[in-house]
Amino acid sequence: MRNPLPPVPTNLLDIEVADSLRRGVPTARLVAAPDNDDVEPLEIEGVRITGKAGDVQTVPGDGPRWVAGLGEGEPKGYRKTGAALARAINASLAEDVDNGGKAFRAVQLELPEEASGEHVTDLTLGLLLGGYRYQVSGDDPKPSVRTVRLVSADPAVPALVERATALAAATALTRDLANTPSNVKTPAWLADTAARVAGPRVEVTVRDEKWLTTQGFGGVLAVGGGSDRPPRLIELAYRPSGASRHLLLVGKGITFDTGGLSIKPADGMHLMRTDMAGGAAVIAAVRAIAALGLPIRVTALVPAAENHVSGSAYRPGDIVRHYGGKTTEVANTDAEGRMVMADALVYGIKRFSPDYVVDAATLTGAMKVSLGLRTGGLFASDDALAALVAEAGARVGEAWWRMPLVEDYAENVRGEFGDVRQTPAGPGGITAALFLREFTAGLPWAHLDIAGPARSEKNYDDVVPGATGFAARTLVELAASLA
């Protein structure tokens, strides 16, 4: 019987680079929008072509089968167009098959002469990710295009495509891990999958609940204590020879979040299978960093646990002792992400002595209110690191907005019965970041709150419904800039 689960990592289409069009291969044409409103839109075989980014039209006749608009020529427009084109091509392929036609598996398109490296990168990202699908089904998967051939004589294009493919693969793997249903995705499954997909240059060590108990990972054990699926700590290490800088990544790995005894409302709880999207992004980023051979040492930690409800669940009012000894007063068991990440941050800093620390987590609903669903919240103790993160995101199509670490609220983190409070008074996203800062030992540190953009209910740009893969590309690009 066929396994209804999609493969992890998902199989992305191949992008080839050629110097000329091939006869008999379906062709797509890219066109820019008119310079001003007075110019009549292009018309091909009676089909009106607006040229707007993402507007894809199917054209009858012997010429190009699809014509896709590029908008005003910005790189983001190329990414949006690549994604829309991939969806349109797959829809045409499925329609051909349904009508008894022969399935085509390759499509070609000619790059505009004015396309720069950024344009090629964004177009490639869109083509690779726009047609992403995740569906658990007993039916055979719908047919999809296997190969897109980019036609260009520019000798720089193959390397650009190769690098963009690695970035897209990181995003897709993040989506795969976050989309996997939680009846499959236990902490052990996530750890085993990370070890399987990490690649030959990444060393993966999985720490079980016995090791966590011996070492005193009180936050991870408290959060995972309510589930009969025990927690794990996933360690990934990439150590290229000659690397002079060391980046520590920490990703929240809550494989399902009921809220614990502070239980969530039923509406929306099904989305909590993606509550490990930060951990997924970290796993996928290390895999891509190693595949690209970037000259920077990277250690990644993903504390993985299931926050469940049972007689052994941790309680509001508990005082939890973290790795390293600091204690936290628990007020809300649904603020579990910061509990597991506190352990991992202290362990990673003490054990590995990194130069920089960056964490990623679907941490607070407050950030969804503050920034919406397409922008990640960026907190940082170091201005230079904050700028590097934001610039890295801009280069790979992920938007970040720096949020303040307001010192007036720092005193609220101080505990009455323990060292710190889990949910101090004040703005939720800011106070959560201030809580995490207590565990960073004064190192240059950035906290990425991706609660908003980690999942989507509709298509936009290269995003499809479900997990978006947000943050993975930024982490890869950040590592490249630090290297």
Side-chain angles (χ1 to χ4, degrees):
M1 184 176 180
R2 189 175 69 84
N3 184 356
L5 282 174
V8 177
T10 195
N11 296 316
L12 296 177
L13 58 82
D14 293 322
I15 296 191
E16 300 176 350
V17 180
D19 57 9
S20 61
L21 294 169
R22 291 187 185 177
R23 186 177 300 174
V25 177
T27 302
R29 178 180 171 186
L30 304 177
V31 298
D35 292 336
N36 58 67
D37 293 337
D38 296 331
V39 178
E40 284 293 323
L42 183 67
E43 190 170 300
I44 300 176
E45 299 292 338
V47 178
R48 187 173 183 269
I49 311 298
T50 67
K52 293 180 179 178
D55 182 16
V56 180
Q57 299 292 334
T58 303
V59 179
D62 298 329
R65 184 162 178 181
W66 304 273
V67 179
L70 292 171
E72 297 178 357
E74 296 180 350
K76 180 179 178 180
Y78 274 67
R79 179 159 43 89
K80 183 174 184 177
T81 294
L85 185 57
R87 295 175 192 130
I89 290 169
N90 284 335
S92 295
L93 175 56
E95 184 178 0
D96 283 4
V97 172
D98 288 344
N99 291 331
K102 184 179 180 181
F104 59 89
R105 293 303 192 189
V107 171
Q108 58 188 348
L109 65 152
E110 196 166 8
L111 285 174
E113 291 183 2
E114 64 272 17
S116 69
E118 287 182 287
H119 294 100
V120 174
T121 296
D122 275 67
L123 178 65
T124 302
L125 288 171
L127 288 167
L128 290 168
L129 295 171
Y132 175 92
R133 297 170 179 164
Y134 188 94
Q135 186 174 21
V136 181
S137 174
D139 297 334
D140 291 332
K142 293 182 178 179
S144 59
V145 68
R146 299 270 180 84
T147 303
V148 172
R149 184 175 296 110
L150 296 182
V151 178
S152 174
D154 185 345
V157 169
L160 292 167
V161 168
E162 183 178 5
R163 190 173 187 281
T165 298
L167 291 171
T171 299
L173 176 58
T174 305
R175 293 177 183 180
D176 292 340
L177 296 174
N179 281 327
T180 298
S182 295
N183 56 323
V184 173
K185 183 173 54 191
T186 66
W189 180 93
L190 183 61
D192 292 345
T193 302
R196 177 175 61 82
V197 305
R201 303 187 67 182
V202 179
E203 179 184 344
V204 181
T205 305
V206 178
R207 311 291 190 179
D208 64 12
E209 70 274 22
K210 294 179 181 178
W211 184 91
L212 293 168
T213 301
T214 300
Q215 297 296 317
F217 278 67
V220 177
L221 293 166
V223 172
S227 174
D228 61 1
R229 299 164 162 183
R232 295 287 186 269
L233 177 69
I234 307 165
E235 291 184 23
L236 303 98
Y238 168 62
R239 303 185 185 96
S241 60
S244 61
R245 290 180 170 182
H246 186 185
L247 172 63
L248 173 67
L249 301 177
V250 176
K252 174 183 170 184
I254 301 300
T255 56
F256 192 76
D257 182 20
T258 66
L261 295 180
S262 306
I263 197 162
K264 293 178 180 292
D267 292 345
M269 191 190 289
H270 63 287
L271 298 174
M272 290 301 101
R273 68 182 180 276
T274 67
D275 207 23
M276 37 59 69
V282 163
I283 292 168
V286 175
R287 178 176 182 261
I289 290 165
L292 290 169
L294 299 181
I296 181 171
R297 181 182 173 190
V298 181
T299 301
L301 300 173
V302 179
E306 187 175 73
N307 189 24
H308 225 306
V309 183
S310 75
S312 57
Y314 79 130
R315 296 155 291 264
D318 285 359
I319 298 180
V320 171
R321 186 177 300 278
H322 294 281
Y323 180 90
K326 186 170 287 187
T327 58
T328 291
E329 300 174 14
V330 177
N332 182 340
T333 63
D334 194 23
E336 81 299 328
R338 67 198 73 180
M339 298 294 291
V340 302
M341 292 176 69
D343 283 347
L345 285 166
V346 176
Y347 171 74
I349 291 167
K350 287 191 172 185
R351 173 73 175 80
F352 302 108
S353 301
D355 299 302
Y356 310 93
V357 181
V358 179
D359 72 68
T362 50
L363 205 65
T364 66
M367 293 311 300
K368 296 168 69 174
V369 176
S370 299
L371 298 177
L373 304 180
R374 300 191 186 184
T375 303
L378 164 61
F379 298 83
S381 62
D382 181 85
D383 291 343
L385 181 58
L388 287 173
V389 172
E391 291 162 5
R395 288 193 297 272
V396 295
E398 294 182 335
W400 300 94
W401 188 266
R402 189 173 182 187
M403 301 292 289
L405 288 165
V406 182
E407 293 299 331
D408 289 348
Y409 298 119
E411 185 59 32
N412 296 352
V413 181
R414 305 274 77 77
E416 181 179 3
F417 300 105
D419 294 321
V420 291
R421 301 176 191 270
Q422 177 208 35
T423 52
I430 294 173
T431 55
L434 289 168
F435 174 89
L436 290 177
R437 190 180 66 173
E438 294 290 315
F439 299 88
T440 59
L443 287 177
W445 159 76
H447 162 56
L448 310 182
D449 192 332
I450 59 172
R455 61 183 73 91
S456 178
E457 295 182 359
K458 60 183 180 181
N459 291 333
Y460 67 89
D461 297 339
D462 59 289
V463 170
V464 297
T468 64
F470 193 87
R473 300 200 300 266
T474 295
L475 294 175
V476 178
E477 187 69 13
L478 172 65
S481 63
L482 290 171

